[in-house]
Amino acid sequence: MFFTDKIQGTIGQLGLQDWWLSTFTEEEQKYIIQTYQPLGVGDNIVGDSLIKGDGDCNPNAVSILSDLATWFKKEIDHTIGFRIIAKAEESINSSTNILDIHFLYNNKISLYYRFRDSEPNALEEAISACKKQIEISAKAKVQFKKEYKKSPLPSHTGFEQLAIIEEKRGNFKSCIDISTTALKEGWSGDWENRIERVKRKIDKLK
């Protein structure tokens, strides 16, 4: 296997050596390291920091793996992203920062929804991630306001994507309920117009 003698770097620091070696082939390990360029330093293999050196100064498995997964969204490598995001979600524990969980589900929704038509269960995984992000929305709202006191709440991928899915499926009441909750909580978005549009669709069916 690739660098089996001693895995250091961020992977080693997080204690994910066994996961790294058992989840990815040697070819995939090399590809991940070559692809991961978080600092944008041209041809330098920044991804080496995953398995070499001292690792991340503030190791956080959920945040690091969630970010890593976003580098693998292409058709040719999205299954790598799937495996990484699954480990990120598995790494959530009682001490995980609520915003790290929030952004993890942002990334999972984006990754899985992209392949909803080509990958079995991808749409259901995206829907599940939407619901999980919505479940923590009230706690995430509090943390956002605490950390970004002068900024309005951002958009909320879980509410937005699930509302879109429900509207497309003709589940108009569910779409309105989702949009109403997002509006009441204060998440940025075109919620009022969406609600009114869906209400007009309901009226046409009467």
Side-chain angles (χ1 to χ4, degrees), residues 40-80:
V41 192
D43 295 329
N44 293 336
I45 303 180
V46 181
D48 263 0
S49 64
L50 287 171
I51 60 165
K52 290 183 177 181
D54 297 328
D56 196 282
C57 60
N58 295 301
N60 176 330
V62 174
S63 178
I64 290 170
L65 293 174
S66 175
D67 175 68
L68 179 61
T70 65
W71 290 81
F72 303 94
K73 291 183 174 181
K74 297 178 182 178
E75 178 65 36
I76 61 170
D77 58 21
H78 67 280
T79 62
I80 292 176

Side-chain angles (χ1 to χ4, degrees), residues 8 14 28 47 52 56 59 74 76-77 89 103 123 126-127 132 142 145 152 188:
Q8 298 177 328
L14 294 171
E28 287 174 331
K52 290 183 177 181
D56 196 282
K74 297 178 182 178
I76 61 170
D77 58 21
E89 188 170 5
F103 288 120
L123 179 58
I127 291 171
K132 288 178 180 179
V142 170
K145 287 184 172 294
S188 295

Side-chain angles (χ1 to χ4, degrees), residues 7-193:
I7 302 293
Q8 298 177 328
T10 302
I11 296 297
Q13 193 176 22
L14 294 171
L16 297 176
Q17 300 96 323
D18 290 343
W19 168 77
W20 172 259
L21 295 172
S22 63
T23 303
F24 305 107
T25 65
E26 180 177 343
E27 183 178 356
E28 287 174 331
Q29 292 168 36
K30 291 178 180 178
Y31 179 71
I32 291 168
I33 288 169
Q34 291 166 354
T35 303
Y36 184 52
Q37 298 285 327
L39 302 179
V41 192
D43 295 329
N44 293 336
I45 303 180
V46 181
D48 263 0
S49 64
L50 287 171
I51 60 165
K52 290 183 177 181
D54 297 328
D56 196 282
C57 60
N58 295 301
N60 176 330
V62 174
S63 178
I64 290 170
L65 293 174
S66 175
D67 175 68
L68 179 61
T70 65
W71 290 81
F72 303 94
K73 291 183 174 181
K74 297 178 182 178
E75 178 65 36
I76 61 170
D77 58 21
H78 67 280
T79 62
I80 292 176
F82 284 0
R83 281 171 275 170
I84 295 172
I85 209 78
K87 188 62 178 179
E89 188 170 5
E90 182 186 314
S91 300
I92 295 172
N93 58 47
S94 59
S95 64
T96 304
N97 184 290
I98 197 69
L99 292 188
D100 287 337
I101 302 174
H102 172 88
F103 288 120
L104 160 66
Y105 287 126
N106 262 11
N107 292 339
K108 183 172 182 179
I109 293 163
S110 175
L111 180 60
Y112 273 90
Y113 193 72
R114 180 187 295 250
F115 296 99
R116 64 193 180 279
D117 295 325
S118 59
E119 285 287 345
N121 302 318
L123 179 58
E124 293 309 313
E125 285 287 342
I127 291 171
S128 174
C130 288
K131 292 178 177 179
K132 288 178 180 179
Q133 193 184 43
I134 289 170
E135 286 175 4
I136 63 167
S137 64
K139 292 180 180 179
K141 171 184 175 179
V142 170
Q143 194 64 28
F144 265 116
K145 287 184 172 294
K146 185 182 294 184
E147 295 190 21
Y148 306 98
K149 296 178 181 178
K150 296 182 180 181
S151 300
L153 288 177
S155 59
H156 191 288
T157 303
F159 278 120
E160 288 186 354
Q161 192 64 73
L162 192 58
I164 290 170
I165 291 170
E166 292 294 67
E167 183 176 356
K168 285 183 176 180
R169 288 179 164 180
N171 298 328
F172 298 141
K173 183 180 183 304
S174 177
C175 177
I176 290 173
D177 290 343
I178 292 165
S179 302
T180 300
T181 300
L183 178 63
K184 288 181 178 178
E185 289 190 8
W187 298 99
S188 295
D190 196 22
W191 303 113
E192 292 175 322
N193 286 338

